[in-house]
Amino acid sequence: MKIAIVGTGAMGSVYAALLADAGHEVWAIDVWPEHIQAIETSGLRVEGASGDRTVKGIHATSTLSDAGLCDLYIIATKASGVEAAARAVAPLMGPGSLVLTIQNGLGAGEHIAEHMPTENVLLGVAEGFGASMKGPGHAHHNAMKLIRIGEMGGGESDRLDRLVEVWRGAGFDVAAFANIDQLIWEKFVCNVTFSGPCTVFNATIGEIMAQGAWWEIALGCAREPYALGVALGIPFGFDDPDAYVTAFGARMPGARPSMLLDHMSHRRSEIDAINGMVGTLGRKHGIATPYNDVISAVVRARETEFA
């Protein structure tokens, strides 16, 4: 299969290396020139949860059109880059091309829909999956649990099953789900609980949970998207958001959410797609979201200092 990974930061680099190592023709697309050059000249190294390997033969470029027609386009950018990625992918696709987007937060599918029909669009959720960049051409795979994939319009399909087998053949634990929206919302509740609060208090997940006042704020952040989801008819697999996010956080107490890692590196985060999205949806549907509004305001204020 010919696969273009649009956005080969930490997560995208893991996808690219493992899929290429499994024998697929992989194109790594990224705006970081040194990263692209390192992949081209020395290969892409990924170490950590999936082993230690350096994969050569990956095509690396900053221009997506160099990849041309592909069987699969994986959009692995930050949330803010999804729309630009979709705009670049749209003219290259063929009738059988698939687009798979894997992001934190909400809204990726809607942004893609602004630039292409969504019949060939699939959505993914990465659970317990972390990675970080150690340098150009070198990613560290921190953890890998489950990647969940589903048709944007819901339901089951043969192509969805085939795509699951592609990922599974590359060493990923992956499964197809008929209602991917439910899973996206369930992860969204967890993202909201920890991303903004950990960033504001410069704390790991375990540190947030251990500090009473901080944890009450984080739980307030969790309850708001849960209430929104219920109002919108999302069929959550739980009815106690406090217990759900507590169990989630207890599995990774030493972790730092990607939003906090962005701030530690003085990079702008995905605040608008995570905690900020709660406020956006709350105003749209007449549901108050004070915890997430305050957390988002603090994060955005700090980001005015970043380039």
Side-chain angles (χ1 to χ4, degrees):
M1 180 176 275
K2 184 178 179 183
I3 303 170
I5 315 289
V6 188
T8 48
M11 298 283 279
S13 290
V14 174
Y15 303 155
L18 270 65
L19 287 164
D21 207 26
H24 299 284
E25 179 186 345
V26 172
W27 287 74
I29 317 298
D30 203 80
V31 296
W32 184 10
E34 293 82 4
H35 186 42
I36 292 301
Q37 183 177 1
I39 295 172
E40 279 279 278
T41 58
S42 305
L44 176 55
R45 182 182 177 189
V46 171
E47 60 174 327
S50 55
D52 191 344
R53 72 192 80 198
T54 298
V55 183
K56 298 186 177 182
I58 296 174
H59 305 280
T61 177
S62 296
T63 307
L64 178 59
S65 59
D66 291 344
L69 175 64
C70 294
D71 301 305
L72 173 64
Y73 298 89
I74 299 172
I75 298 180
T77 63
K78 292 283 190 181
S80 60
V82 170
E83 190 169 352
R87 188 184 308 118
V89 166
L92 304 177
M93 296 175 63
S97 298
L98 298 178
V99 175
L100 171 63
T101 179
I102 306 176
Q103 266 84 34
N104 290 321
L106 299 180
E110 289 75 9
H111 288 309
I112 291 173
E114 295 176 10
H115 299 281
M116 67 179 71
T118 57
E119 289 83 0
N120 286 7
V121 177
L122 300 100
L123 305 178
V125 179
E127 178 186 348
F129 196 111
S132 56
M133 294 302 301
K134 300 192 75 172
H138 186 184
H140 187 272
H141 193 178
N142 303 328
M144 178 166 65
K145 189 176 180 184
L146 179 65
I147 292 180
R148 309 179 189 213
I149 301 173
E151 295 276 358
M152 182 169 170
E156 301 175 354
S157 66
D158 290 339
R159 70 184 186 184
L160 177 58
D161 292 337
R162 290 194 298 270
L163 192 57
V164 164
E165 290 306 313
V166 167
W167 283 80
R168 189 170 290 149
F172 294 94
D173 187 3
V174 60
F177 289 84
N179 188 349
I180 196 67
D181 279 341
Q182 174 190 341
L183 303 175
I184 289 173
W185 269 87
E186 289 180 354
K187 184 181 180 184
F188 181 59
V189 171
C190 293
N191 284 154
V192 166
T193 304
F194 296 107
S195 293
C198 285
T199 302
V200 167
F201 295 112
N202 190 25
T204 64
I205 287 175
E207 289 167 345
I208 283 285
M209 297 178 72
Q211 219 284 356
W214 295 357
W215 185 226
E216 278 303 311
I217 292 170
L219 289 175
C221 288
R223 293 165 190 152
E224 292 173 356
Y226 178 76
L228 273 166
V230 169
L232 294 173
I234 301 299
F236 287 110
F238 56 89
D239 56 13
D240 184 344
D242 290 17
Y244 185 74
V245 298
T246 298
F248 177 89
R251 295 196 295 268
M252 53 186 74
R256 290 181 171 86
S258 60
M259 188 180 294
L260 173 56
L261 295 177
D262 283 338
H263 274 223
M264 291 170 67
S265 299
H266 292 87
R267 296 190 299 262
R268 292 183 180 271
S269 71
E270 297 176 299
I271 186 64
D272 291 338
I274 304 178
N275 298 81
M277 182 60 70
V278 180
T280 298
L281 292 174
R283 288 184 290 275
K284 181 178 180 181
H285 297 283
I287 296 175
T289 59
Y291 281 96
N292 283 287
D293 290 344
V294 171
I295 288 291
S296 300
V298 174
V299 171
R300 289 181 181 126
R302 290 183 182 176
E303 291 187 358
T304 61
E305 301 174 3
F306 302 160

